[in-house]
Amino acid sequence: METKQISKAVIKRLPRYYRYLGELMEDNVERISSNELSKKMHTTASQIRQDLNNFGGFGQQGYGYNVHYLYTEIGKILGLDTVHPMIILGAGNLGQALANYVDFEKRGFKLVGIFDVNPVLEGIAVRGLEIQMLSELPFFLRENNVEIAILTLPKNKAKEMADILVENGIKAIWNFAHLDLETPDDVIVENVHLSESLMTLSYNLSKYRQEHVE
Amino acid sequence: METKQISKAVIKRLPRYYRYLGELMEDNVERISSNELSKKMHTTASQIRQDLNNFGGFGQQGYGYNVHYLYTEIGKILGLDTVHPMIILGAGNLGQALANYVDFEKRGFKLVGIFDVNPVLEGIAVRGLEIQMLSELPFFLRENNVEIAILTLPKNKAKEMADILVENGIKAIWNFAHLDLETPDDVIVENVHLSESLMTLSYNLSKYRQEHVE
DNA sequence: TAGATTGTTAATCGATTAACAATC
DNA sequence: TAGATTGTTAATCGATTAACAATC
């Protein structure tokens, strides 16, 4: 349907615009020009205008952008105007940390289930939800409407569970496991590879050290 | 000193090469060609050769790359051959999750301290380290050699603490707080904005839905 | 030696920045 | 109307892919 393909780079920047606009709203700023915003965000006004115009003309010549309007529109583009039921697979520290992120629910990401393999955890409540056994997952998926699955399981288990998720019609996986999931094209996977992020940091640190040896 | 500037895109790919090479080693694969590796990783052989040649000629014509050698060399480039003492600021679920990542220590990222504001947590042991009060941080930094600080504090507190870290000579911050830190140029900041990652997922989900309405 | 595959240069593609006419 | 600032086209820059000579 949509033919105009929007680049990944643009999409990755949208949530950051959204965050800055939210802060401007908190500061009761009513309007902002691409130039002012570019200074705040350490980017170029040109990029901001180009990015936004992928989705429509949200501004007004001679005026700039209405902060509240732009915030709402970017929210819609990001799909934050609808509820996304989600489940967490893996109730370890990371899974529990994500379960307790208050901001998520505020943005429409509603946690409806949390699962683990460890029988010791069964029935323990996290954010008002009792931890269920992973073996109950297929049944749960058939009985409930779930959009997003968060994978905070170890590598092997994650791979296995990804297959089960796909079989049961899950269309989006937020993957924290250290592997690249092999899923059909119509399943959206967003990876968070924490160790890779830390290695990037380490690279920059090492490079800096090398360049500044006395 | 070093003048050849290596692009951020290349650096972001290095940890992924490192991961795949590690898996190949586990499978006892001795050598691999850029072409074979490109198929495994869903990228192009050309990109792999270009990326690696930023750092030197690690391969051999007619043979390919020795897996173990390349793994070790990329490890060195990423600074994984030295120990990086690090501290965690924020002993909530996320901080504790990161503290318990076994893989980090294996790669030289050695946790030497964990701090929080909450007095209730004081003295509780996480991975063999007693949680300390954030007020003790400046003293700790003067007495101990710390390279990396992991920020898993809420926004406001994170901003305040970043200043203290910089004042006390910390050169690298792994930032999980939902804000862009304002730090001097010689301080390396690597951001993990989880909510932005989830919004990207949400965008793709919404777009997919729009394109497939019955 | 012949075959394979790298390292590297050249061509293409895409993303960012600059410029400016349109318009509020 | 004059000034400001967008939306958009054109120019530049950088990154990816293709091609091939070098060489193991």
Side-chain angles (χ1 to χ4, degrees):
Chain A
M1 228 167 241
E2 274 280 302
T3 36
K4 183 172 59 176
Q5 190 53 39
I6 288 146
S7 89
K8 237 178 154 181
V10 173
I11 296 155
K12 287 263 171 215
R13 282 193 291 268
L14 286 181
R16 189 155 176 266
Y17 292 135
Y18 190 75
R19 173 156 54 90
Y20 274 84
L21 289 164
E23 283 171 11
L24 287 167
M25 271 171 62
E26 279 176 24
D27 297 345
N28 295 306
V29 178
E30 212 175 81
R31 56 170 284 264
I32 194 158
S33 70
S34 57
N35 191 39
E36 286 172 275
L37 186 57
S38 73
K39 275 173 197 151
K40 261 193 180 304
M41 296 184 65
H42 302 284
T43 178
T44 63
S46 213
Q47 182 165 79
I48 293 174
R49 296 206 297 277
Q50 284 277 26
D51 282 356
L52 297 179
N53 273 81
N54 279 301
F55 305 97
F58 300 124
Q60 200 166 80
Q61 281 97 331
Y63 173 85
Y65 299 88
N66 177 287
V67 173
H68 186 272
Y69 174 69
L70 188 54
Y71 177 83
T72 314
E73 289 304 308
I74 295 181
K76 281 187 207 163
I77 294 164
L78 290 170
L80 306 180
D81 57 338
T82 51
V83 174
H84 303 284
M86 63 186 190
I87 53 170
I88 293 178
L89 308 191
N93 278 310
L94 184 56
Q96 297 204 19
L98 295 172
N100 286 302
Y101 259 51
V102 202
D103 277 14
F104 290 164
E105 186 143 0
K106 235 173 44 195
R107 301 273 151 72
F109 300 98
K110 189 170 166 48
L111 189 64
V112 297
I114 179 160
F115 296 83
D116 204 285
V117 252
N118 189 350
V120 172
L121 296 172
E122 186 165 17
I124 291 174
V126 178
R127 213 161 198 250
L129 289 170
E130 285 187 7
I131 297 172
Q132 299 177 63
M133 291 295 95
L134 271 175
S135 50
E136 296 162 41
L137 180 63
F139 176 76
F140 184 91
L141 290 173
R142 265 177 263 128
E143 296 296 310
N144 296 273
N145 174 32
V146 180
E147 266 192 9
I148 302 170
I150 306 179
L151 262 187
T152 54
L153 289 164
K155 230 170 157 178
N156 310 335
K157 205 74 197 165
K159 194 177 180 150
E160 185 190 328
M161 284 301 142
D163 293 339
I164 290 177
L165 290 168
V166 170
E167 276 168 35
N168 287 279
I170 285 287
K171 283 287 174 276
I173 300 176
W174 199 20
N175 177 41
F176 287 77
H178 301 167
L179 83 163
D180 297 322
L181 299 174
E182 307 279 350
T183 50
D185 286 345
D186 64 338
V187 174
I188 292 142
V189 177
E190 172 77 18
N191 292 303
V192 180
H193 291 315
L194 293 178
S195 58
E196 299 188 4
S197 169
L198 185 54
M199 288 183 197
T200 304
L201 177 73
S202 165
Y203 169 85
N204 286 312
L205 194 55
S206 304
K207 194 186 61 171
Y208 182 84
R209 289 278 153 85
Q210 275 161 38
E211 285 166 9
H212 295 79
V213 227
E214 305 92 289
Chain B
M1 225 170 245
E2 274 281 303
T3 35
K4 183 171 59 177
Q5 191 52 38
I6 287 148
S7 89
K8 237 179 155 179
V10 173
I11 295 155
K12 287 264 172 214
R13 283 194 291 268
L14 286 182
R16 190 155 175 267
Y17 292 136
Y18 189 74
R19 173 157 55 89
Y20 274 84
L21 289 164
E23 283 171 12
L24 286 168
M25 270 171 61
E26 278 175 24
D27 297 345
N28 296 306
V29 178
E30 212 175 81
R31 55 172 284 264
I32 195 159
S33 70
S34 56
N35 191 40
E36 286 173 275
L37 187 57
S38 73
K39 275 172 198 151
K40 259 192 181 306
M41 296 184 65
H42 302 284
T43 178
T44 64
S46 214
Q47 182 165 79
I48 293 174
R49 295 205 299 275
Q50 285 277 26
D51 283 356
L52 297 179
N53 273 83
N54 280 300
F55 303 97
F58 299 125
Q60 199 169 80
Q61 282 98 331
Y63 172 85
Y65 299 88
N66 177 286
V67 172
H68 185 272
Y69 174 71
L70 188 56
Y71 177 83
T72 314
E73 289 304 308
I74 294 180
K76 282 187 207 164
I77 294 164
L78 291 170
L80 307 179
D81 56 340
T82 52
V83 174
H84 303 285
M86 62 185 193
I87 54 172
I88 293 177
L89 308 190
N93 278 310
L94 184 56
Q96 297 203 19
L98 295 172
N100 286 300
Y101 260 52
V102 202
D103 277 14
F104 290 165
E105 186 144 359
K106 236 172 44 191
R107 300 273 150 74
F109 300 99
K110 188 170 167 50
L111 189 64
V112 297
I114 179 159
F115 297 82
D116 204 285
V117 253
N118 189 349
V120 172
L121 295 173
E122 187 167 18
I124 291 174
V126 178
R127 213 164 197 246
L129 289 170
E130 285 186 6
I131 297 172
Q132 300 177 61
M133 291 295 93
L134 270 175
S135 48
E136 297 163 41
L137 181 63
F139 177 76
F140 185 90
L141 289 174
R142 267 177 260 125
E143 296 296 310
N144 295 272
N145 175 33
V146 180
E147 267 193 7
I148 302 170
I150 306 180
L151 263 186
T152 54
L153 290 163
K155 231 169 156 177
N156 310 336
K157 204 73 197 162
K159 196 179 178 145
E160 185 190 327
M161 284 300 141
D163 293 340
I164 291 178
L165 289 169
V166 170
E167 277 169 33
N168 288 280
I170 284 286
K171 285 286 174 277
I173 300 175
W174 199 21
N175 178 41
F176 287 77
H178 300 167
L179 82 163
D180 297 321
L181 299 174
E182 306 279 349
T183 50
D185 286 345
D186 63 338
V187 174
I188 293 143
V189 177
E190 172 77 18
N191 292 302
V192 180
H193 291 316
L194 291 179
S195 58
E196 299 188 5
S197 168
L198 185 55
M199 287 182 196
T200 304
L201 177 74
S202 166
Y203 168 85
N204 286 312
L205 195 54
S206 301
K207 195 186 61 171
Y208 182 83
R209 289 278 153 82
Q210 274 162 39
E211 285 167 10
H212 295 80
V213 227
E214 302 94 290

